[in-house]
mmCIF file of all heavy atoms in Angstrom:
data_model
loop_
_atom_site.group_PDB
_atom_site.id
_atom_site.type_symbol
_atom_site.label_atom_id
_atom_site.label_comp_id
_atom_site.label_asym_id
_atom_site.label_seq_id
_atom_site.Cartn_x
_atom_site.Cartn_y
_atom_site.Cartn_z
ATOM 1 N N VAL A 149 -98.949 32.241 -31.473
ATOM 2 C CA VAL A 149 -100.355 31.875 -31.699
ATOM 3 C C VAL A 149 -101.226 32.905 -31.004
ATOM 4 O O VAL A 149 -100.781 33.625 -30.097
ATOM 5 C CB VAL A 149 -100.670 30.460 -31.158
ATOM 6 C CG1 VAL A 149 -99.910 29.402 -31.930
ATOM 7 C CG2 VAL A 149 -100.358 30.373 -29.670
ATOM 8 N N LEU A 150 -102.489 32.982 -31.443
ATOM 9 C CA LEU A 150 -103.447 33.869 -30.808
ATOM 10 C C LEU A 150 -104.007 33.212 -29.550
ATOM 11 O O LEU A 150 -104.153 31.980 -29.476
ATOM 12 C CB LEU A 150 -104.586 34.198 -31.771
ATOM 13 C CG LEU A 150 -104.220 35.065 -32.983
ATOM 14 C CD1 LEU A 150 -105.426 35.216 -33.891
ATOM 15 C CD2 LEU A 150 -103.713 36.422 -32.544
ATOM 16 N N GLY A 151 -104.314 34.068 -28.567
ATOM 17 C CA GLY A 151 -104.862 33.575 -27.315
ATOM 18 C C GLY A 151 -106.353 33.351 -27.402
ATOM 19 O O GLY A 151 -106.917 33.067 -28.470
ATOM 20 N N THR A 152 -106.985 33.483 -26.279
ATOM 21 C CA THR A 152 -108.442 33.285 -26.238
ATOM 22 C C THR A 152 -109.185 34.334 -27.035
ATOM 23 O O THR A 152 -110.291 34.097 -27.522
ATOM 24 C CB THR A 152 -108.906 33.308 -24.775
ATOM 25 O OG1 THR A 152 -108.493 34.543 -24.166
ATOM 26 C CG2 THR A 152 -108.291 32.142 -24.002
ATOM 27 N N THR A 153 -108.591 35.492 -27.211
ATOM 28 C CA THR A 153 -109.177 36.566 -28.024
ATOM 29 C C THR A 153 -108.174 36.978 -29.088
ATOM 30 O O THR A 153 -106.995 36.618 -29.037
ATOM 31 C CB THR A 153 -109.550 37.775 -27.149
ATOM 32 O OG1 THR A 153 -108.348 38.311 -26.555
ATOM 33 C CG2 THR A 153 -110.512 37.370 -26.042
ATOM 34 N N ASP A 154 -108.680 37.748 -30.067
ATOM 35 C CA ASP A 154 -107.803 38.235 -31.130
ATOM 36 C C ASP A 154 -106.870 39.330 -30.655
ATOM 37 O O ASP A 154 -106.017 39.780 -31.427
ATOM 38 C CB ASP A 154 -108.649 38.759 -32.297
ATOM 39 C CG ASP A 154 -109.425 37.643 -32.976
ATOM 40 O OD1 ASP A 154 -109.075 36.468 -32.738
ATOM 41 O OD2 ASP A 154 -110.374 37.954 -33.714
ATOM 42 N N SER A 155 -107.006 39.773 -29.429
ATOM 43 C CA SER A 155 -106.150 40.825 -28.887
ATOM 44 C C SER A 155 -105.099 40.281 -27.933
ATOM 45 O O SER A 155 -104.497 41.036 -27.178
ATOM 46 C CB SER A 155 -106.997 41.879 -28.154
ATOM 47 O OG SER A 155 -107.913 42.491 -29.045
ATOM 48 N N GLN A 156 -104.866 38.985 -27.962
ATOM 49 C CA GLN A 156 -103.862 38.371 -27.093
ATOM 50 C C GLN A 156 -102.917 37.533 -27.937
ATOM 51 O O GLN A 156 -103.353 36.739 -28.770
ATOM 52 C CB GLN A 156 -104.510 37.505 -26.016
ATOM 53 C CG GLN A 156 -103.525 36.995 -24.970
ATOM 54 C CD GLN A 156 -104.196 36.151 -23.906
ATOM 55 O OE1 GLN A 156 -105.123 35.389 -24.208
ATOM 56 N NE2 GLN A 156 -103.770 36.282 -22.656
ATOM 57 N N LEU A 157 -101.647 37.720 -27.725
ATOM 58 C CA LEU A 157 -100.606 37.008 -28.464
ATOM 59 C C LEU A 157 -99.815 36.159 -27.487
ATOM 60 O O LEU A 157 -99.278 36.669 -26.495
ATOM 61 C CB LEU A 157 -99.679 37.992 -29.182
ATOM 62 C CG LEU A 157 -98.533 37.394 -30.005
ATOM 63 C CD1 LEU A 157 -99.086 36.575 -31.170
ATOM 64 C CD2 LEU A 157 -97.609 38.488 -30.524
ATOM 65 N N LEU A 158 -99.743 34.859 -27.782
ATOM 66 C CA LEU A 158 -99.006 33.919 -26.940
ATOM 67 C C LEU A 158 -97.688 33.572 -27.622
ATOM 68 O O LEU A 158 -97.663 33.241 -28.814
ATOM 69 C CB LEU A 158 -99.824 32.640 -26.709
ATOM 70 C CG LEU A 158 -101.200 32.823 -26.048
ATOM 71 C CD1 LEU A 158 -101.886 31.483 -25.876
ATOM 72 C CD2 LEU A 158 -101.076 33.553 -24.723
ATOM 73 N N VAL A 159 -96.595 33.658 -26.863
ATOM 74 C CA VAL A 159 -95.252 33.373 -27.369
ATOM 75 C C VAL A 159 -94.689 32.232 -26.549
ATOM 76 O O VAL A 159 -94.633 32.312 -25.307
ATOM 77 C CB VAL A 159 -94.336 34.611 -27.264
ATOM 78 C CG1 VAL A 159 -92.975 34.314 -27.874
ATOM 79 C CG2 VAL A 159 -94.989 35.812 -27.932
ATOM 80 N N GLN A 160 -94.279 31.157 -27.224
ATOM 81 C CA GLN A 160 -93.766 29.973 -26.543
ATOM 82 C C GLN A 160 -92.498 29.503 -27.237
ATOM 83 O O GLN A 160 -92.377 29.576 -28.463
ATOM 84 C CB GLN A 160 -94.816 28.851 -26.550
ATOM 85 C CG GLN A 160 -94.499 27.677 -25.645
ATOM 86 C CD GLN A 160 -94.591 28.017 -24.173
ATOM 87 O OE1 GLN A 160 -95.327 28.928 -23.798
ATOM 88 N NE2 GLN A 160 -93.849 27.292 -23.345
ATOM 89 N N GLN A 161 -91.546 28.983 -26.443
ATOM 90 C CA GLN A 161 -90.304 28.465 -26.997
ATOM 91 C C GLN A 161 -90.504 27.060 -27.550
ATOM 92 O O GLN A 161 -91.264 26.263 -26.988
ATOM 93 C CB GLN A 161 -89.208 28.439 -25.930
ATOM 94 C CG GLN A 161 -88.667 29.800 -25.545
ATOM 95 C CD GLN A 161 -87.532 29.690 -24.544
ATOM 96 O OE1 GLN A 161 -87.369 28.667 -23.892
ATOM 97 N NE2 GLN A 161 -86.743 30.735 -24.419
ATOM 98 N N ASN A 162 -89.796 26.751 -28.648
ATOM 99 C CA ASN A 162 -89.765 25.401 -29.177
ATOM 100 C C ASN A 162 -88.908 24.508 -28.274
ATOM 101 O O ASN A 162 -88.102 25.007 -27.489
ATOM 102 C CB ASN A 162 -89.214 25.394 -30.601
ATOM 103 C CG ASN A 162 -90.156 26.073 -31.575
ATOM 104 O OD1 ASN A 162 -91.373 26.051 -31.395
ATOM 105 N ND2 ASN A 162 -89.597 26.685 -32.616
ATOM 106 N N PRO A 163 -89.048 23.203 -28.400
ATOM 107 C CA PRO A 163 -88.228 22.326 -27.545
ATOM 108 C C PRO A 163 -86.731 22.501 -27.750
ATOM 109 O O PRO A 163 -85.956 22.323 -26.816
ATOM 110 C CB PRO A 163 -88.700 20.921 -27.953
ATOM 111 C CG PRO A 163 -90.085 21.122 -28.471
ATOM 112 C CD PRO A 163 -90.069 22.466 -29.138
ATOM 113 N N ASP A 164 -86.301 22.824 -28.977
ATOM 114 C CA ASP A 164 -84.868 22.979 -29.249
ATOM 115 C C ASP A 164 -84.409 24.428 -29.179
ATOM 116 O O ASP A 164 -83.302 24.749 -29.635
ATOM 117 C CB ASP A 164 -84.540 22.419 -30.632
ATOM 118 C CG ASP A 164 -85.382 23.062 -31.732
ATOM 119 O OD1 ASP A 164 -86.380 23.744 -31.383
ATOM 120 O OD2 ASP A 164 -85.057 22.869 -32.919
ATOM 121 N N ALA A 165 -85.220 25.329 -28.631
ATOM 122 C CA ALA A 165 -84.861 26.746 -28.558
ATOM 123 C C ALA A 165 -83.917 26.988 -27.390
ATOM 124 O O ALA A 165 -83.763 26.170 -26.475
ATOM 125 C CB ALA A 165 -86.116 27.602 -28.410
ATOM 126 N N THR A 166 -83.264 28.151 -27.438
ATOM 127 C CA THR A 166 -82.340 28.586 -26.396
ATOM 128 C C THR A 166 -82.906 29.827 -25.709
ATOM 129 O O THR A 166 -83.782 30.504 -26.262
ATOM 130 C CB THR A 166 -80.956 28.899 -26.988
ATOM 131 O OG1 THR A 166 -81.097 29.958 -27.952
ATOM 132 C CG2 THR A 166 -80.388 27.666 -27.677
ATOM 133 N N PRO A 167 -82.423 30.165 -24.520
ATOM 134 C CA PRO A 167 -82.908 31.397 -23.871
ATOM 135 C C PRO A 167 -82.651 32.659 -24.683
ATOM 136 O O PRO A 167 -83.367 33.648 -24.539
ATOM 137 C CB PRO A 167 -82.140 31.402 -22.540
ATOM 138 C CG PRO A 167 -81.797 29.968 -22.287
ATOM 139 C CD PRO A 167 -81.565 29.369 -23.636
ATOM 140 N N GLN A 168 -81.637 32.634 -25.550
ATOM 141 C CA GLN A 168 -81.360 33.816 -26.368
ATOM 142 C C GLN A 168 -82.479 34.086 -27.371
ATOM 143 O O GLN A 168 -82.677 35.235 -27.786
ATOM 144 C CB GLN A 168 -80.023 33.656 -27.104
ATOM 145 C CG GLN A 168 -78.806 33.756 -26.215
ATOM 146 C CD GLN A 168 -78.553 32.510 -25.397
ATOM 147 O OE1 GLN A 168 -79.190 31.474 -25.634
ATOM 148 N NE2 GLN A 168 -77.639 32.589 -24.440
ATOM 149 N N ASP A 169 -83.196 33.047 -27.791
ATOM 150 C CA ASP A 169 -84.286 33.257 -28.743
ATOM 151 C C ASP A 169 -85.397 34.104 -28.133
ATOM 152 O O ASP A 169 -85.931 35.014 -28.783
ATOM 153 C CB ASP A 169 -84.842 31.909 -29.210
ATOM 154 C CG ASP A 169 -83.813 31.095 -29.977
ATOM 155 O OD1 ASP A 169 -82.918 31.709 -30.576
ATOM 156 O OD2 ASP A 169 -83.898 29.855 -29.954
ATOM 157 N N LEU A 170 -85.748 33.826 -26.902
ATOM 158 C CA LEU A 170 -86.771 34.625 -26.238
ATOM 159 C C LEU A 170 -86.243 36.017 -25.901
ATOM 160 O O LEU A 170 -86.990 37.003 -25.928
ATOM 161 C CB LEU A 170 -87.257 33.919 -24.971
ATOM 162 C CG LEU A 170 -88.437 34.561 -24.236
ATOM 163 C CD1 LEU A 170 -89.659 34.647 -25.150
ATOM 164 C CD2 LEU A 170 -88.768 33.790 -22.972
ATOM 165 N N ALA A 171 -84.933 36.123 -25.605
ATOM 166 C CA ALA A 171 -84.354 37.440 -25.315
ATOM 167 C C ALA A 171 -84.381 38.333 -26.553
ATOM 168 O O ALA A 171 -84.525 39.559 -26.428
ATOM 169 C CB ALA A 171 -82.927 37.277 -24.804
ATOM 170 N N ARG A 172 -84.258 37.763 -27.755
ATOM 171 C CA ARG A 172 -84.334 38.556 -28.972
ATOM 172 C C ARG A 172 -85.714 39.165 -29.135
ATOM 173 O O ARG A 172 -85.863 40.305 -29.574
ATOM 174 C CB ARG A 172 -83.994 37.704 -30.204
ATOM 175 C CG ARG A 172 -82.555 37.268 -30.272
ATOM 176 C CD ARG A 172 -82.256 36.438 -31.504
ATOM 177 N NE ARG A 172 -82.362 37.225 -32.710
ATOM 178 C CZ ARG A 172 -83.281 37.029 -33.647
ATOM 179 N NH1 ARG A 172 -84.188 36.076 -33.494
ATOM 180 N NH2 ARG A 172 -83.305 37.767 -34.730
ATOM 181 N N PHE A 173 -86.747 38.409 -28.772
ATOM 182 C CA PHE A 173 -88.093 38.967 -28.860
ATOM 183 C C PHE A 173 -88.333 40.002 -27.757
ATOM 184 O O PHE A 173 -89.038 40.995 -27.973
ATOM 185 C CB PHE A 173 -89.124 37.842 -28.773
ATOM 186 C CG PHE A 173 -90.542 38.314 -28.890
ATOM 187 C CD1 PHE A 173 -91.042 38.741 -30.107
ATOM 188 C CD2 PHE A 173 -91.373 38.359 -27.780
ATOM 189 C CE1 PHE A 173 -92.341 39.188 -30.227
ATOM 190 C CE2 PHE A 173 -92.676 38.803 -27.887
ATOM 191 C CZ PHE A 173 -93.153 39.221 -29.114
ATOM 192 N N ARG A 174 -87.782 39.789 -26.587
ATOM 193 C CA ARG A 174 -87.948 40.763 -25.512
ATOM 194 C C ARG A 174 -87.283 42.091 -25.852
ATOM 195 O O ARG A 174 -87.689 43.144 -25.353
ATOM 196 C CB ARG A 174 -87.365 40.219 -24.204
ATOM 197 C CG ARG A 174 -88.081 39.019 -23.633
ATOM 198 C CD ARG A 174 -89.446 39.403 -23.109
ATOM 199 N NE ARG A 174 -89.372 40.309 -21.976
ATOM 200 C CZ ARG A 174 -89.427 39.943 -20.716
ATOM 201 N NH1 ARG A 174 -89.556 38.636 -20.403
ATOM 202 N NH2 ARG A 174 -89.392 40.826 -19.739
ATOM 203 N N SER A 175 -86.253 42.060 -26.725
ATOM 204 C CA SER A 175 -85.550 43.300 -27.075
ATOM 205 C C SER A 175 -86.431 44.257 -27.874
ATOM 206 O O SER A 175 -86.200 45.470 -27.846
ATOM 207 C CB SER A 175 -84.278 42.996 -27.861
ATOM 208 O OG SER A 175 -84.589 42.394 -29.107
ATOM 209 N N VAL A 176 -87.436 43.737 -28.600
ATOM 210 C CA VAL A 176 -88.322 44.614 -29.365
ATOM 211 C C VAL A 176 -89.473 45.115 -28.511
ATOM 212 O O VAL A 176 -90.261 45.946 -28.963
ATOM 213 C CB VAL A 176 -88.856 43.902 -30.624
ATOM 214 C CG1 VAL A 176 -87.722 43.421 -31.498
ATOM 215 C CG2 VAL A 176 -89.764 42.742 -30.248
#
Side-chain angles (χ1 to χ4, degrees):
V149 295
L150 292 176
T152 56
T153 63
D154 294 344
S155 299
Q156 188 179 37
L157 180 64
L158 301 180
V159 183
Q160 191 70 26
Q161 288 183 342
N162 292 329
D164 56 347
T166 61
Q168 288 77 10
D169 296 333
L170 186 59
R172 292 180 67 246
F173 181 72
R174 294 290 295 264
S175 64
V176 303

